[in-house]
Amino acid sequence: KPQSELQTQDHFLRTNNACIYSRVRVTNDRPAIVFMHGLGDSSEAFREMFATPLLKNHNLIAIDQAGYGRSSKAMDSRYDFKAQVERIWDVLDQLRVRSFHLVGHSMGGDIATIMCLQDSAEGRILSLTNVEGDLTTGDMFISEDAKAADDEENFEEWFCQTYREGTVFIEWAPQRASKARYYAALHFARMEAFRQNALEIYEIHLRESSSGFGNNYLQVQTKKCFCRSIGSLSEQSVAFLQANNL
């Protein structure tokens, strides 16, 4: 095994209302990178980061949010962003991670943005890399479908059959390995966690006009970078990035 793999440890840390899993490689006092997964996903999305020699000189922490991956359910049934962020800060404190670079994919980018806004005075977050996070209403197609199913009191069937088995397994999984891994992660995701987070993304965009998380991202003063692959972002969000010189 590569040296980076041999140093990796699994941690299950108790917060006030959940046991949170984190995949950790920490050795001495080195720059740290914290990874936040997307909606329905898990820390497995960042498995390759622990094996690449490009990050051999960094401490790495990938966290499963409550209700996802190997983390437990939330004992208070709260999966909203405020509650998830509080748990993440608690885990980082227990791991004694004082300063770090933050990487968030999809919904993880949204949560990472919230963390940066909270951290503006303390300065623990050294940089933000937002990978395909939600910027405008054009990005919330999954949340829109989840909201429509919830309004029709048909969320469970939509999540299990239409989205997980239809969209992800039949349409996305054959395209590349990361999508197949995402399909597997959805079987570990608690449906209520997915529901609460999808609906919150939808509501934030409605409340904050057409650029809810985009406006939040603009307010981040930390060094930041937005990453996307070709065709992964809506035309509306591409226009938003161009209009704001991002």
Side-chain angles (χ1 to χ4, degrees):
K1 287 186 177 181
Q3 184 68 18
S4 58
E5 284 288 336
L6 293 175
Q7 295 172 348
T8 299
Q9 296 179 328
D10 297 321
H11 286 257
F12 292 88
L13 299 175
R14 184 183 183 278
T15 63
N16 286 336
N17 43 48
C19 285
I20 302 299
Y21 168 80
S22 57
R23 194 162 194 255
V24 176
R25 188 185 76 204
V26 175
T27 305
N28 300 323
D29 187 19
R30 305 187 302 178
I33 306 175
V34 175
F35 298 96
M36 301 304 307
H37 65 77
L39 181 64
D41 214 336
S42 75
S43 56
E44 284 294 311
F46 303 105
R47 172 169 286 275
E48 288 84 357
M49 299 300 100
F50 287 79
T52 177
L54 296 175
L55 298 179
K56 65 180 180 180
N57 295 321
H58 288 77
N59 291 329
L60 306 178
I61 303 99
I63 298 172
D64 284 345
Q65 297 162 47
Y68 297 98
R70 292 198 243 180
S71 287
S72 74
K73 69 177 183 179
M75 300 305 294
D76 58 359
S77 300
R78 284 190 57 194
Y79 299 100
D80 57 272
F81 288 166
K82 183 177 185 295
Q84 297 284 34
V85 166
E86 288 174 354
R87 297 181 189 110
I88 294 165
W89 283 121
D90 189 357
V91 167
L92 293 175
D93 287 343
Q94 291 187 55
L95 291 173
R96 298 182 180 179
V97 179
R98 302 306 177 196
S99 62
F100 54 93
H101 301 276
L102 188 54
V103 178
H105 173 247
S106 187
M107 181 187 77
D110 305 337
I111 288 178
T113 297
I114 293 171
M115 291 177 66
C116 286
L117 294 177
Q118 291 182 349
D119 184 57
S120 58
E122 202 167 341
R124 292 176 64 180
I125 300 175
L126 304 175
S127 69
L128 166 65
T129 302
N130 187 331
V131 184
E132 301 178 348
D134 299 291
L135 291 176
T136 69
T137 53
D139 300 325
M140 60 180 202
F141 62 96
I142 297 174
S143 298
E144 284 183 326
D145 290 346
K147 179 65 165 63
D150 193 64
D151 287 346
E152 296 172 0
E153 299 182 352
N154 192 35
F155 183 84
E156 181 174 358
E157 182 178 346
W158 171 83
F159 175 77
C160 295
Q161 300 302 322
T162 304
Y163 180 64
R164 189 182 67 194
E165 302 302 326
T167 301
V168 180
F169 182 68
I170 295 177
E171 297 180 22
W172 295 353
Q175 297 176 12
R176 54 183 184 269
S178 62
K179 294 298 186 181
R181 186 162 54 194
Y182 177 60
Y183 170 72
L186 285 171
H187 285 77
F188 293 91
R190 292 182 181 269
M191 189 166 55
E192 182 56 24
F194 188 104
R195 175 184 169 276
Q196 286 189 31
N197 291 151
L199 296 184
E200 186 169 8
I201 292 170
Y202 181 89
E203 290 164 2
I204 286 173
H205 279 292
L206 287 187
R207 186 171 65 245
E208 303 291 339
S209 72
S210 62
S211 302
F213 279 111
N215 290 332
N216 287 342
Y217 183 71
L218 289 178
Q219 294 174 39
V220 172
Q221 299 301 308
T222 307
K223 182 179 180 181
K224 61 190 176 184
C225 174
F226 190 93
C227 301
R228 65 183 178 93
S229 57
I230 296 175
S232 66
L233 210 60
S234 67
E235 293 182 3
Q236 185 177 349
S237 290
V238 171
F240 174 86
L241 290 171
Q242 292 173 342
N244 290 283
N245 297 315
L246 296 171

